[in-house]
């Protein structure tokens, strides 16, 4: 059954979070709020769900630039090679927050995407719904932003309009209030010095 579920972001309902996670564990795809734009996600341990999400985006899994949504920094070393203390301090300052950090991937990432992927984007959104989902699931989500077809607005901010558009394509849309129309700031930390790849909601003064 397709559904739109309202979850209050300040204090997410545990029963509703558990309901969404049950769907994720069965291979479902959800659309959920972050601290920036609404995003689409699935359980990283469900190969078919990852492939289905890539299909919805019109791309092959091995070409996808999906990010990992983590609860905190403790998950990150499962997917990355060791990074510098300076990078760790930068991430600790910025996260949870509206940033995506590009890090060098370890050998588990190519297995996830069946590719030669050498890097991975890591996000810890400052959003209670997103983090509650990851905590309940017990591992990161694989995620990608939901784009609009509008020529002026790049992202859909109204969850009800998102539901109208995606109700036949995904399993659950979470209404956590209006989203932003700007994405996260992307910082590449795969080299000695951090480099801003995209300036979004997060201030680049943090570097």
């Amino acid at each position: 059954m397709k559904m739109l579920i309202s979850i209050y972001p300040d204090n997410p309902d545990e029963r509703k979070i558990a309901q969404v996670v049950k769907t994720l564990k069965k291979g479902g795809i959800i659309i959920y709020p972050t601290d920036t734009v609404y995003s689409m996600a699935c359980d990283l341990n469900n190969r078919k769900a990852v492939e289905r999400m890539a299909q919805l985006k019109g791309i092959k899994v091995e070409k996808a630039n999906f990010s990992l949504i983590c609860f905190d920094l403790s998950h990150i070393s499962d997917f990355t090679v060791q990074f510098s203390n300076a990078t760790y301090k930068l991430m600790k300052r910025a996260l949870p927050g509206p940033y995506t950090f590009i890090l060098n991937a370890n050998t588990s990432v190519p297995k996830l995407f069946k590719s030669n992927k050498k890097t991975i984007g890591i996000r810890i959104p400052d959003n209670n719904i997103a983090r509650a989902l990851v905590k309940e699931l017990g591992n990161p989500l694989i995620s990608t932003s939901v784009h609009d077809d509008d020529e002026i607005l790049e992202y859909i901010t109204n969850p009800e309009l998102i539901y109208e558009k995606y109700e036949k394509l995904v399993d659950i849309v979470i209404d956590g209030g209006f989203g932003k129309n700007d994405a996260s700031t992307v910082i590449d930390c795969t080299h000695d010095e951090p480099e801003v790849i995209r300036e979004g909601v997060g201030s680049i003064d943090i570097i």
Side-chain angles (χ1 to χ4, degrees):
M1 188 174 84
K2 311 294 183 190
M3 61 187 91
L4 177 67
I5 298 178
S6 293
I7 299 180
Y8 191 57
D10 287 346
N11 188 22
D13 185 315
E14 290 179 8
R15 286 172 304 170
K16 290 181 178 179
I17 292 292
Q19 180 186 354
V20 176
V21 168
K22 191 175 177 183
T23 297
L24 285 165
K25 286 182 175 176
K26 288 180 179 175
I29 293 175
I30 66 163
I31 293 176
Y32 71 103
T34 70
D35 51 359
T36 56
V37 300
Y38 268 81
S39 293
M40 190 183 293
C42 67
D43 182 354
L44 67 77
N45 290 321
N46 194 300
R47 177 70 191 166
K48 286 187 177 174
V50 178
E51 288 174 350
R52 186 177 145 215
M53 199 162 81
Q55 200 172 11
L56 284 174
K57 294 286 283 190
I59 50 178
K60 292 182 177 178
V61 175
E62 57 268 23
K63 301 284 185 190
N65 281 322
F66 294 153
S67 296
L68 296 184
I69 304 297
C70 301
F71 177 73
D72 58 25
L73 290 172
S74 65
H75 282 301
I76 292 173
S77 60
D78 295 340
F79 305 97
T80 63
V81 296
Q82 193 168 5
F83 45 83
S84 70
N85 199 36
T87 296
Y88 179 78
K89 285 180 177 176
L90 172 60
M91 292 171 71
K92 203 159 175 56
R93 282 200 306 275
L95 301 171
Y99 296 88
T100 301
F101 285 92
I102 309 296
L103 299 169
N104 288 308
N106 65 19
T107 53
S108 66
V109 170
K111 289 173 190 167
L112 284 178
F113 296 100
K114 296 288 186 286
S115 69
N116 300 319
K117 204 165 170 60
K118 299 281 197 300
T119 62
I120 188 69
I122 302 285
R123 281 217 66 203
I124 304 174
D126 188 11
N127 178 284
N128 293 330
I129 297 169
R131 294 181 75 212
L133 288 170
V134 174
K135 191 172 187 181
E136 178 73 16
L137 183 62
N139 56 255
L141 291 165
I142 285 184
S143 185
T144 181
S145 302
V146 173
H147 287 259
D148 199 349
D149 298 327
D150 192 290
E151 289 179 9
I152 299 167
L153 296 173
E154 192 177 354
Y155 302 98
I156 313 177
T157 58
N158 184 334
E160 291 186 5
L161 294 180
I162 292 172
Y163 180 67
E164 281 178 24
K165 181 174 178 178
Y166 286 96
E167 63 175 313
K168 291 184 172 63
L169 301 172
V170 303
D171 300 280
I172 291 175
V173 175
I174 297 174
D175 179 351
F178 274 76
K180 290 188 171 74
N181 193 41
D182 286 308
S184 62
T185 293
V186 179
I187 301 174
D188 185 343
C189 292
T190 59
H191 304 291
D192 292 339
E193 294 295 325
E195 181 187 355
V196 176
I197 302 296
R198 177 182 73 197
E199 189 172 351
V201 177
S203 170
I204 60 171
D205 294 342
I206 199 143
I207 295 177

